[in-house]
Amino acid sequence: MFFSLGALNLALAVILGAFGAHGLKAKVTTEQLAWWHTGVDYHFYHALGLLVIGALMAAQPQLALPKGSAWALQIGIVIFSGSLYAMTLGAPRWFGAITPIGGTAFIIGWLWLAYAAWQKGL
């Protein structure tokens, strides 16, 4: 499931990146466009992480990697990147106050995966 979710997120990141480069460039400020690009960058990085976790889970089911780490990355994508996309598209600037919650979800996901890998001797 997480391999598919990673692939879907990667497709969405490409679409949103293209939309930012071609559809938003002339319609938003330079600062807003930077928010969009940051959202897309982090969307890509963590979608790749989901893809890797999904591939490991499928190829090595005996590892029993924690699904929670993958869910934390997905939640981070939605909150971190989603809040930056929303602000670029006109959400109030205070909406950016939730962006660090998504960043925290990213950190939790990676630390959770690192801990699980360490416990399994990977």
Side-chain angles (χ1 to χ4, degrees):
M1 177 176 82
F2 292 112
F3 191 86
S4 296
L5 190 57
L8 289 171
N9 269 291
L10 285 166
L12 183 58
V14 171
I15 292 165
L16 292 170
F19 177 68
H22 303 288
L24 290 178
K25 194 173 184 179
K27 295 180 174 140
V28 298
T29 67
T30 304
E31 181 181 36
Q32 288 172 307
L33 197 57
W35 296 339
W36 189 270
H37 286 300
T38 299
V40 169
D41 286 347
Y42 278 78
H43 196 151
F44 264 113
Y45 304 148
H46 294 88
L48 286 170
L50 284 172
L51 198 70
V52 169
I53 292 169
L56 282 170
M57 288 177 148
Q60 302 288 328
Q62 75 278 8
L63 291 177
L65 292 173
K67 291 179 183 177
S69 63
W71 281 118
L73 295 183
Q74 180 59 51
I75 290 166
I77 289 169
V78 170
I79 296 173
F80 184 91
S81 295
S83 65
L84 293 174
Y85 299 148
M87 286 191 333
T88 302
L89 296 174
R93 193 169 179 137
W94 61 261
F95 201 72
I98 70 165
T99 306
I101 296 169
T104 301
F106 289 149
I107 294 165
I108 289 168
W110 290 119
L111 289 175
W112 194 341
L113 183 63
Y115 179 72
W118 180 72
Q119 278 194 320
K120 295 174 188 320
L122 300 175

